[in-house]
Amino acid sequence: MATKPIRIGLVGYGFMGRTHSNAYSQLAHFFDTDHYPVRQAVCGRDEEKVKAFAEKWGFESYETDWRELVKRDDIDAIDICTPNNSHAEIALECIKHGKMILCEKPLALNGEQGEAMVKAVEESGLPNLVWYNYRFLPAVTHAKNIVDAGELGRVFHYRANFLQDWTISEELPQGGAGLWRLDAKEAGSGVTGDLLAHCIDTARWINGNIVSVSAMTETFIKERVHTETGEKQEVTIDDAAAFLARFENGSLAIFESTRYARGHKALYTFEINGEDKSLFWDLHDLNRLSYFDHGVPSDRRGWSSIHCSDGDQPYAGNWWVPGLCLGYEHSFTHALYEFFKDLDDPQKEKRYPDFRDALGTQYVCDAVLESAKTKQWVDVKQS
Ligand code: 4PW
């Protein structure tokens, strides 16, 4: 029974502000938790736009300065949906004011910033989450459960990619409104922090720690016109990144992400090969988990496709009836559910990524960028 309100202050109302607001509006309708989110306030610099967002998404009030928002006594949790270069500053201020934090991914610009955030949040004891949402799709969680049950046997390989094509045009401006992902000052990196970070989070969750990497990155278009200055400037992000990795469990991995894969808008796939079984998942068919079981007699053996919509699949029973599909947006509601259900029991094993967990992913991203620069294998710092 949801009796305990958690009053949310949302900072930023772009793409992620909408996905999170949708999750806040859905949670209590579909999941039973003691706590429930209240859309208390949203914050953005443009008063007209933030007011319109508040009205559209049912926030009770708005602010135009996040520093005012985090001070408010009627806010329990801050949701950080701003560009990556502001995550650390906002999070540290939230901690000073005793607010729990839900932070967009990646955790920070780099491991150093992330370490300060982890230290402060752990000293405060405040609950904290980083929105690596793909973990919470039923088929992905099912893959994790199958691996945790030891069904794959010894794991040999993990491979993942996240492919897009939206930055191929030379006409696309550098940075500016809505394009902060293209400016390393605001984003920290290009596809490494934006896309590979998702692949790394899922991989670490399912297959354990990554211990070393050997990477290459490329910036295909070297100069772009900046929206604000109108001048050409050097492009500082990685347009594409690929790396080899070794996991602590001895398995080998290959990861690739790019925004230059013509024809792909958001193709995220992963495959994991064990001695006894293999699993494959594809975001474009996100309700399915492909499954190969070597234990089946050879004349019946082959890849099968599990439609993860039955009531006994993770989260699925909370929604419609078996056979109907869930989508991208549900992953955020499920992330929120995992966070809310453990709020009174912080010792419980967490199914969601917290700051420390996300720091582990940040360290892998840092190692990828360093390896690409030095052309050497790099050992990954562990969180
Ligand atoms: O976090 C990622 C984004 O920055 C997303 O999951 C997909 O790629 C959608 O937008 C970008």
Side-chain angles (χ1 to χ4, degrees):
M1 199 33 194
T3 52
K4 302 177 185 172
I6 298 293
R7 296 160 301 177
I8 307 285
L10 175 71
V11 190
Y13 54 85
F15 170 28
M16 283 303 123
R18 286 187 285 133
T19 62
H20 298 187
S21 298
N22 180 58
Y24 293 128
S25 68
Q26 296 292 342
L27 185 74
H29 294 129
F30 293 93
F31 290 84
D32 289 329
T33 49
D34 293 343
H35 298 85
Y36 65 96
V38 175
R39 281 159 280 161
Q40 191 77 354
V42 55
C43 179
R45 282 171 295 192
D46 184 319
E47 183 162 4
E48 212 175 298
K49 286 189 185 158
V50 75
K51 187 168 180 265
F53 186 94
E55 278 162 15
K56 187 171 190 172
W57 286 95
F59 282 84
E60 286 170 25
S61 59
Y62 68 86
E63 292 284 349
T64 53
D65 179 350
W66 65 263
R67 289 179 189 279
E68 295 305 317
L69 181 76
V70 303
K71 278 190 215 153
R72 275 171 54 164
D73 291 337
D74 65 341
I75 298 287
D76 305 304
I78 296 289
D79 185 350
I80 305 174
C81 288
T82 51
N84 306 342
N85 62 339
S86 56
H87 291 184
E89 190 187 8
I90 299 175
L92 294 174
E93 204 59 26
C94 289
I95 294 162
K96 276 194 210 151
H97 292 277
K99 311 295 188 213
M100 58 183 96
I101 307 164
L102 302 97
C103 182
E104 243 317 305
K105 50 63 57 176
L107 178 64
L109 290 179
N110 51 46
E112 199 184 333
Q113 275 194 348
E115 283 165 12
M117 293 164 82
V118 168
K119 185 170 182 289
V121 87
E122 288 185 352
E123 278 171 10
S124 74
L126 290 160
N128 53 98
L129 160 100
V130 178
W131 292 93
Y132 279 111
N133 59 300
Y134 295 106
R135 284 186 186 200
F136 305 102
L137 290 167
V140 177
T141 305
H142 191 38
K144 156 84 173 161
N145 293 344
I146 289 171
V147 173
D148 279 1
E151 285 188 46
L152 266 59
R154 183 173 166 194
V155 175
F156 298 118
H157 293 290
Y158 191 100
R159 62 187 72 77
N161 57 35
F162 205 139
L163 313 177
Q164 299 184 338
D165 72 353
W166 63 280
T167 62
I168 294 178
S169 167
E170 293 201 18
E171 306 309 312
L172 197 72
Q174 162 79 333
L179 290 173
W180 60 266
R181 284 176 178 75
L182 302 185
D183 189 343
K185 281 208 292 301
E186 291 190 76
S189 64
V191 293
T192 298
D194 196 36
L195 305 180
L196 274 181
H198 280 299
C199 304
I200 295 164
D201 173 72
T202 315
R204 293 179 71 253
W205 191 51
I206 294 181
N207 198 38
N209 289 334
I210 292 172
V211 291
S212 58
V213 301
S214 174
M216 60 180 173
T217 59
E218 184 55 73
T219 305
F220 294 115
I221 294 185
K222 309 287 184 205
E223 285 187 327
R224 290 185 186 274
V225 174
H226 199 276
T227 22
E228 275 141 29
T229 62
E231 282 169 17
K232 272 202 166 182
Q233 62 173 225
E234 193 193 344
V235 175
T236 46
I237 56 159
D238 43 305
D239 290 332
F243 72 98
L244 302 174
R246 287 185 179 276
F247 281 87
E248 205 167 66
N249 66 6
S251 57
L252 306 181
I254 180 160
F255 292 81
E256 183 195 8
S257 71
T258 178
R259 294 182 182 133
Y260 281 70
R262 183 57 90 206
H264 293 300
K265 304 303 168 191
L267 181 73
Y268 174 17
T269 64
F270 68 78
E271 178 164 319
I272 175 163
N273 308 125
E275 190 177 357
D276 303 321
K277 285 178 184 145
S278 286
L279 301 170
F280 171 79
W281 176 80
D282 173 353
L283 175 59
H284 286 182
D285 197 3
L286 60 82
N287 289 283
R288 287 189 190 280
L289 182 65
S290 298
Y291 173 91
F292 182 91
D293 183 356
H294 190 67
V296 169
S298 61
D299 66 340
R300 297 286 185 278
R301 195 185 291 153
W303 281 89
S304 60
S305 165
I306 310 167
H307 195 254
C308 299
S309 61
D310 234 318
D312 55 0
Q313 291 289 344
Y315 312 114
N318 287 76
W319 295 93
W320 318 117
V321 296
L324 302 184
C325 295
L326 299 189
Y328 167 75
E329 71 275 25
H330 296 92
S331 62
F332 294 92
T333 309
H334 303 160
L336 200 59
Y337 164 67
E338 291 294 344
F339 182 69
F340 269 50
K341 85 174 161 55
D342 286 341
L343 269 182
D344 282 339
D345 191 1
Q347 302 309 322
K348 213 161 164 191
E349 197 207 341
K350 294 186 180 98
R351 299 285 284 181
Y352 63 86
D354 62 7
F355 278 21
R356 179 167 288 280
D357 197 358
L359 178 61
T361 293
Q362 190 77 54
Y363 282 148
V364 180
C365 291
D366 287 3
V368 164
L369 296 171
E370 189 191 331
S371 167
K373 210 188 288 171
T374 60
K375 300 188 168 71
Q376 301 291 320
W377 275 89
V378 170
D379 289 337
V380 176
K381 214 168 161 183
Q382 299 302 317
S383 63

